[in-house]
Amino acid sequence: MPGMNRGGTIRIAEGTHFRAALAPSGAVAIDLLSRIWIVPAGGGPAAAATGPLADATSPDWSPDGRAVAFQSYRTGAFQLWTVVPGQDPRQLTTGPHDHREPAFSPDGTRLAFSADLGRGYGIHVLEVATGRITTWADSTAEEAAPAWSPDGQRLAFTADGAAIDVVDAHGDWERRVEADGAQLAAPFWTPDGQEIGYVRFEGVTPKRLGSYARRTALVIGDRTVSAPDEDVFGFRAHWLSPTEVVYTADGRIRRRNLATGTVRDISFEAEVPDPPRRPATRIPPRRADSGPVRGIVSPALSPAGDRIAFCALGSLWTMPLDGPAQRLTRDDALTAEPAWAPDGQQLVYVSDRSGSPALWLHELATGNQRRLTSTNGAAVAPAWSPDRTAIAFQDHEGALFLASLDGEVRQLLGPQWYPGRPSWSPDRTKLAMAVARPYSARFREGGNGILVLDARSGESTVHEAAPHRSLSSRGYDGPVWSPDGTSMACVLGGQLHLLPVDRAGRPTAEPRRLTGEIADAPSWSGDGRQILYLSGGKLRLADVATGRIRTVETGLRYTAARTSGPTVIHAGRLWDGQSRALRENVDVVVQHDRIAAVDDHREDRPGRRVDASALTVLPGLTDAHVHNRLKGRFFGARQGKLWLSFGITAVRSAGDPAYEALQEEEALLAGRQVGPRCFGTGEPIDGSRVYYGFMRPTASAAEVERELARARALGHRLLKAYVRLPVSGQRALAEAGRAAGIPVTSHYLHPAAWLGLDGVEHLGASTRLGYSQTMTRRGRTYSDVVSTLTTSGMSLTPTLFSAAVLLAEHDWTSDPRVRALFPRWEAEALAQVTAAVTEPAVRETLEHVLASAVGTLRRIHDGGGLVVAGTDAPIDFLGLSLHLNLRAMVAHGFSPYQALRTATANAARLLGRSDDLGAVAPGKLADLVFVEGDPLADITAAANVRKVMLGGVLHESAELLASPQPPADRR
């Protein structure tokens, strides 16, 4: 591959979560490093049958031993291929649907496979010679992993992962195995066709805790044949003889003799070039201390088309098209999502100034404001009805409600998965909004479709804007109904389109592209002649009839807030982030936002004094994998305070709605909001299917390049490739990142390591395969992963969800920070998870998984790899999960010093900010945490935060837990 350092090689003799398929000759095909390899019957060097970018998995030999069938994602959907070793692969299926898990029939003329061609995943059969496909099973269950009976007349397969069914070509069906609470995978027949074997996952944890298994077992009929502690991988086994079975487990290809009970491994060694070594530090561009505001969120054109409402710098603004912007709110509460009343005299918007996010009305003539909703949850995403009698909005679960102007609320629609903002039809009878449109229940990714709800009957229908195409997000990219009801404005492929619809909201023609530039957040004028939208951080106004476009300047700028100095902190004890012992009785002198000196304590130093003589001062902690805005509008202003209250002074976003992330960075920098230093980025770039509402779907190389142009225009400081982006897209991101000096990460280790990506997010995480290739269901990782990470120098943010087992050791639900700053529903979730981890079976599973995962981190750390603390908050519990991760590391072999370094010095290195962060030393930013106790002796002391300083601004814990205050009072 271009740019590859070919100075050395890695020899892989173990694999994490790989399959093995047996040829009649005894040769074995395996899917290692997302390639197909052929291992000799007696073991030995593996020969690659596919190229390094094939993204090939799930091999199966033809009965004559000549060809291997496999699935490949190289085209942006899973397709079936075959390869004769030594020849070029041949593609068998095409199209937008996924085709997986091929299995040759005993006569070699057909391939059974699973695919989402129908109501979900079903079992289908392909005639290899003609390409004709027939359906054998397609019920409401998610059918998967087909296996032929020895006579070629029947297929066994899993149903919803909870049973194994059998069907023949005539549709005759029978249930063979029930799971009894376990999960089942990978059925296979005994040679006589009388029994079915499978892999059984026992003691599976709740999904929020990672869906790990206490035990994985190979079962044949009613007998468990694997060893009790064996890490059996969830793939089909094959028969070497009537009494000997071949499968994968414990990182190896395993032969098990069922008659004698003996086990012998088939050794293999796959040799690949060393991945290119990452630079010691990749420094993304710094955010300037001042500049034009680009974090413009929820711009809305007035009905008269002469004014704009929007949010920026944490406040609500209005402005005429050619005049200065006027600031309408002046507190540090959440302010979001303004919507105009039909007469243009009022705005409704979201604020949490009185607690949870609620709808507020602002009278433009008088400036009077009043709270409209007082619900039991959040109230966000308002949309004013055309007759001005009601406002639609959503809650924190994505349910849709209707509020009258006197505050009466009724529910219209149940919870949706991160839906888009609702838009009314002109006749007030219907609401449209972007929703997730999954292809199946088996895999979570799908399309961003358009739901149209009849507000009177409650009936709803979901449409595609175009066949197999997604809206560019479920955030602010439409649909927005036109005033005349004949079309919807929406963003497809990153560009603004008009979608013709009928009165019922059904698309009637292909969407028409309105602009060629990147676009977001469209809104109409009341006469339908103009559309306002965002492009590259600027407001743009398009004339619908002529296509003429002009820029609307806000004139807003931000300037970094600075403190006056000096400040002298008298620390009873200091950990400087470098030494292995504490230093006692120290003065840390702060000038403006940086540390000027660190010296022995003196009473006569001039400056404002901070008494920390009874406390330990240490560098601020960094959570290096968060999603600030995923639930940011539900947490409101309490989110930043919550992070600070746990000593987290910096966060690195691994993906967020770009304009919201930009607004947060600028507001924090300008001192308009309270929260940690934010190293933000925009939405992860994905393939044709997406899951979270803020992912950016792409269906071509041109769309990937358009998203990269958008990222450059908005100043992303990280490029994130998400799970359905094919290898070609990952390579484009890697090349763009190298050119701009911006780090690029993903959930994948291979082939990402050889493409030049800089890091891996999560030790085990969601992938398009449905399982992790870096950690097994039992939490184990093998040398293929460890050697690649340590050789390449890629960073790893592990996000130890299994650390939740430590919730049983401390009552976090009564912690003052949780009680004051967790929203009600998040506190309830914490209580539920705490109860779950006290159950003996769940606790046993998580303890085993956690010990294995941290053992992997130790191997990577000891091998010179870069391990950086990150949690995936708020998917994991915001603030406290970082401390659970640190405690987990110490519980399983890291010293407190080593664990703390993952959240300080290592994080600074990852961010390219070692000159600014990660230590208490002259010249560093004054980001400090004040705790009770000695965290180098007892890691739990790191959570005993009493004060925190960010850029020289001191926050007392009591202040952070109190109600919001205006910025002037904080400073």
Side-chain angles (χ1 to χ4, degrees):
M1 285 178 281
M4 182 67 68
N5 173 15
R6 302 188 181 278
T9 58
I10 301 177
R11 292 176 173 82
I12 305 294
E14 286 184 337
T16 304
H17 253 167
F18 71 101
R19 291 173 172 86
L22 194 65
S25 65
V28 182
I30 59 174
D31 55 355
L32 193 70
L33 307 179
S34 294
R35 300 171 66 176
I36 306 300
W37 304 78
I38 309 300
V39 179
T50 61
L53 303 183
D55 208 347
T57 48
S58 194
D60 191 64
W61 282 99
S62 60
D64 61 7
R66 183 171 181 270
V68 178
F70 60 93
Q71 65 185 29
S72 170
Y73 191 75
R74 67 188 304 169
T75 63
F78 282 101
Q79 304 296 349
L80 304 185
W81 296 63
T82 59
V83 64
V84 175
Q87 299 181 18
D88 291 336
R90 181 168 71 96
Q91 186 172 348
L92 302 181
T93 59
T94 60
H97 295 281
D98 282 343
H99 306 68
R100 302 179 187 244
E101 303 161 323
F104 268 110
S105 62
D107 63 5
T109 63
R110 295 168 294 171
L111 276 173
F113 62 96
S114 64
D116 53 17
L117 297 171
R119 287 182 285 183
Y121 262 82
I123 302 302
H124 309 272
V125 173
L126 169 75
E127 292 182 4
V128 177
T130 66
R132 179 173 174 266
I133 292 175
T134 56
T135 299
W136 282 43
D138 187 16
S139 70
T140 56
E142 297 291 318
E143 292 103 352
W148 291 96
S149 60
D151 61 6
Q153 300 302 307
R154 295 168 294 167
L155 284 168
F157 51 89
T158 60
D160 288 328
I164 294 175
D165 294 346
V166 174
V167 72
D168 63 18
H170 306 292
D172 291 336
W173 167 92
E174 65 174 308
R175 174 144 293 177
R176 282 293 187 94
V177 182
E178 294 281 359
D180 299 328
Q183 292 180 0
L184 307 181
F188 62 99
W189 297 78
T190 54
D192 61 6
Q194 298 302 305
E195 292 184 301
I196 293 176
Y198 53 91
V199 177
R200 181 181 177 93
F201 300 122
E202 299 174 357
V204 178
T205 57
K207 186 175 181 180
R208 176 153 188 166
L209 300 176
S211 297
Y212 302 111
R214 181 172 70 255
R215 184 184 182 198
T216 58
L218 183 65
V219 180
I220 299 176
D222 58 1
R223 297 162 292 139
T224 297
V225 300
S226 55
D229 193 45
E230 200 168 359
D231 188 14
V232 179
F233 301 163
F235 309 121
R236 181 157 40 107
H238 297 262
W239 293 95
L240 187 64
S241 72
T243 60
E244 194 166 16
V245 68
V246 174
Y247 59 103
T248 53
D250 295 337
R252 306 299 182 95
I253 307 169
R254 183 145 293 167
R255 293 174 53 174
R256 180 173 289 276
N257 190 304
L258 304 182
T260 64
T262 56
V263 171
R264 185 163 65 89
D265 292 340
I266 300 174
S267 63
F268 64 88
E269 188 176 88
E271 186 172 315
V272 292
D274 282 346
R277 186 75 186 181
R278 274 64 185 168
T281 304
R282 191 186 295 279
I283 303 177
R286 293 176 183 267
R287 191 69 70 216
D289 285 344
S290 63
V293 166
R294 292 185 295 170
I296 301 168
V297 181
S298 305
L301 190 58
S302 67
D306 59 346
R307 297 182 65 82
I308 299 170
F310 61 94
C311 292
L313 295 174
S315 297
L316 175 64
W317 304 76
T318 61
M319 60 173 285
L321 291 182
D322 296 302
Q326 177 187 3
R327 186 177 172 189
L328 302 185
T329 60
R330 294 184 177 275
D331 53 31
D332 63 357
L334 166 78
T335 305
E337 301 174 314
W340 291 94
D343 62 4
Q345 300 303 305
Q346 292 174 307
L347 285 168
V348 63
Y349 67 98
V350 177
S351 175
D352 69 339
R353 63 172 58 93
S354 59
S356 295
L359 302 189
W360 286 70
L361 290 180
H362 181 96
E363 300 282 351
L364 291 168
T366 65
N368 292 335
Q369 302 189 64
R370 69 179 176 93
R371 184 176 179 178
L372 177 63
T373 58
S374 299
T375 62
N376 197 32
V380 299
W384 217 307
S385 65
D387 61 2
R388 198 180 169 275
T389 62
I391 297 170
F393 69 93
Q394 296 160 350
D395 72 355
H396 57 283
E397 293 182 329
L400 184 65
F401 297 83
L402 192 66
S404 66
L405 295 187
D406 60 8
E408 182 182 349
V409 173
R410 66 182 178 93
Q411 186 169 338
L412 297 177
L413 185 69
Q416 305 294 310
W417 180 248
Y418 291 101
R421 193 169 180 175
S423 174
W424 286 93
S425 64
D427 62 6
R428 195 200 180 280
T429 63
K430 296 176 179 62
L431 284 153
M433 61 186 186
V435 295
R437 185 179 180 275
Y439 278 70
S440 73
R442 184 183 177 196
F443 296 100
R444 65 186 197 175
E445 294 83 20
N448 293 333
I450 298 172
L451 180 144
V452 179
L453 172 74
D454 189 305
R456 300 160 300 181
S457 68
E459 295 180 358
S460 63
T461 308
V462 178
H463 307 286
E464 289 181 299
H468 301 287
R469 294 294 309 277
S470 277
L471 303 178
S472 286
S473 77
R474 298 198 300 275
Y476 302 102
D477 287 333
V480 186
W481 227 309
S482 65
D484 65 3
T486 63
S487 65
M488 295 178 182
C490 58
V491 180
L492 290 167
Q495 297 174 316
L496 183 59
H497 288 70
L498 297 183
L499 175 67
V501 295
D502 61 17
R503 294 188 61 181
R506 290 185 296 261
T508 58
E510 288 290 310
R512 175 174 68 88
R513 193 182 73 178
L514 187 63
T515 65
E517 63 185 355
I518 54 176
D520 289 286
S523 69
W524 293 87
S525 61
D527 59 10
R529 295 180 179 180
Q530 299 180 96
I531 293 181
L532 179 76
Y533 62 96
L534 285 165
S535 182
K538 295 182 178 181
L539 287 167
R540 302 277 278 167
L541 193 65
D543 185 293
V544 175
T546 67
R548 287 196 297 268
I549 301 170
R550 72 182 183 96
T551 298
V552 180
E553 299 287 355
T554 68
L556 293 182
R557 297 182 63 85
Y558 70 89
T559 300
R562 293 175 65 85
T563 61
S564 59
T567 299
V568 180
I569 301 164
H570 176 200
R573 292 183 289 187
L574 171 73
W575 180 56
D576 62 8
Q578 305 293 330
S579 304
R580 294 180 178 271
L582 299 183
R583 183 176 169 184
E584 296 190 356
N585 208 22
V586 177
D587 283 345
V588 180
V589 182
V590 175
Q591 186 72 34
H592 299 302
D593 62 345
R594 293 191 178 264
I595 298 169
V598 180
D599 288 322
D600 292 340
H601 173 62
R602 282 182 15 217
E603 289 291 343
D604 59 347
R605 292 187 192 276
R608 182 171 66 99
R609 306 191 70 80
V610 176
D611 182 12
S613 57
L615 302 174
T616 302
V617 176
L618 62 149
L621 304 178
T622 296
D623 189 333
H625 186 117
V626 305
H627 300 283
N628 302 41
R629 309 313 309 165
L630 181 63
K631 298 181 182 179
R633 59 182 177 160
F634 308 141
F635 275 84
R638 69 184 78 187
Q639 176 171 274
K641 297 179 179 182
L642 187 54
W643 264 314
L644 291 178
S645 72
F646 279 97
I648 298 168
T649 59
V651 293
R652 167 183 172 260
S653 167
D656 274 303
Y659 286 95
E660 290 185 37
L662 266 175
Q663 180 192 217
E664 183 175 31
E665 278 200 71
E666 291 170 351
L668 290 168
L669 192 62
R672 301 282 183 86
Q673 291 182 345
V674 175
R677 201 175 298 279
C678 180
F679 293 86
T681 189
E683 300 89 344
I685 299 175
D686 213 339
S688 59
R689 302 186 188 184
V690 293
Y691 179 59
Y692 289 104
F694 60 89
M695 302 301 178
R696 301 290 290 191
T698 60
S700 66
E703 290 186 12
V704 171
E705 180 50 43
R706 197 173 299 133
E707 291 301 330
L708 288 171
R710 179 175 178 272
R712 287 189 287 267
L714 296 178
H716 290 10
R717 291 193 280 177
L718 171 72
L719 293 175
K720 173 84 172 290
Y722 209 59
V723 300
R724 292 280 301 198
L725 186 68
V727 171
S728 59
Q730 292 185 45
R731 180 166 52 186
L733 263 63
E735 292 171 352
R738 281 194 295 272
I742 301 172
V744 185
T745 67
S746 75
H747 284 198
Y748 296 98
L749 179 58
H750 44 77
W754 285 269
L755 294 171
L757 272 69
D758 296 278
V760 179
E761 307 297 336
H762 316 286
L763 181 56
S766 56
T767 73
R768 54 181 166 262
L769 289 165
Y771 60 89
S772 171
Q773 294 175 301
T774 50
M775 189 166 71
T776 70
R777 291 291 294 273
R778 298 199 66 189
R780 299 180 185 177
T781 298
Y782 297 92
S783 63
D784 59 330
V785 172
V786 174
S787 59
T788 302
L789 280 169
T790 54
T791 302
S792 66
M794 297 175 80
S795 64
L796 171 65
T797 51
T799 65
L800 298 171
F801 282 91
S802 54
V805 70
L806 302 181
L807 288 170
E809 298 180 358
H810 177 79
D811 183 14
W812 287 102
T813 60
S814 63
D815 187 285
R817 294 165 289 195
V818 171
R819 294 174 67 88
L821 297 175
F822 265 42
R824 172 193 55 78
W825 52 89
E826 200 72 7
E828 291 173 355
L830 175 61
Q832 292 167 2
V833 173
T834 300
V837 300
T838 61
E839 297 177 10
V842 174
R843 186 179 180 88
E844 179 188 346
T845 300
L846 289 178
E847 286 176 342
H848 173 85
V849 168
L850 185 60
S852 297
V854 177
T856 297
L857 299 185
R858 286 182 60 197
R859 291 160 63 197
I860 295 168
H861 173 272
D862 294 345
L866 182 61
V867 177
V868 184
T871 67
D872 216 8
I875 298 174
D876 206 346
F877 294 109
L878 196 146
L880 71 87
S881 60
L882 181 69
H883 292 279
L884 295 179
N885 275 238
L886 297 179
R887 294 180 186 191
M889 292 182 192
V890 173
H892 296 287
F894 279 77
S895 69
Y897 168 83
Q898 291 171 328
L900 285 168
R901 294 265 295 178
T902 67
T904 53
N906 289 11
R909 178 181 161 193
L910 175 75
L911 295 168
R913 294 292 181 263
S914 294
D915 290 345
D916 297 327
L917 303 172
V920 183
K924 306 281 188 183
L925 287 165
D927 293 359
L928 307 171
V929 181
F930 303 69
V931 303
E932 285 185 356
D934 178 359
L936 292 185
D938 178 6
I939 192 62
T940 65
N944 299 336
V945 179
R946 299 296 173 259
K947 310 174 193 286
V948 64
M949 179 175 279
L950 181 67
V953 178
L954 186 69
H955 301 274
E956 300 284 349
S957 292
E959 168 205 337
L960 294 171
L961 273 57
S963 59
Q965 295 295 324
D969 293 347
R970 289 204 319 275
R971 297 255 168 200

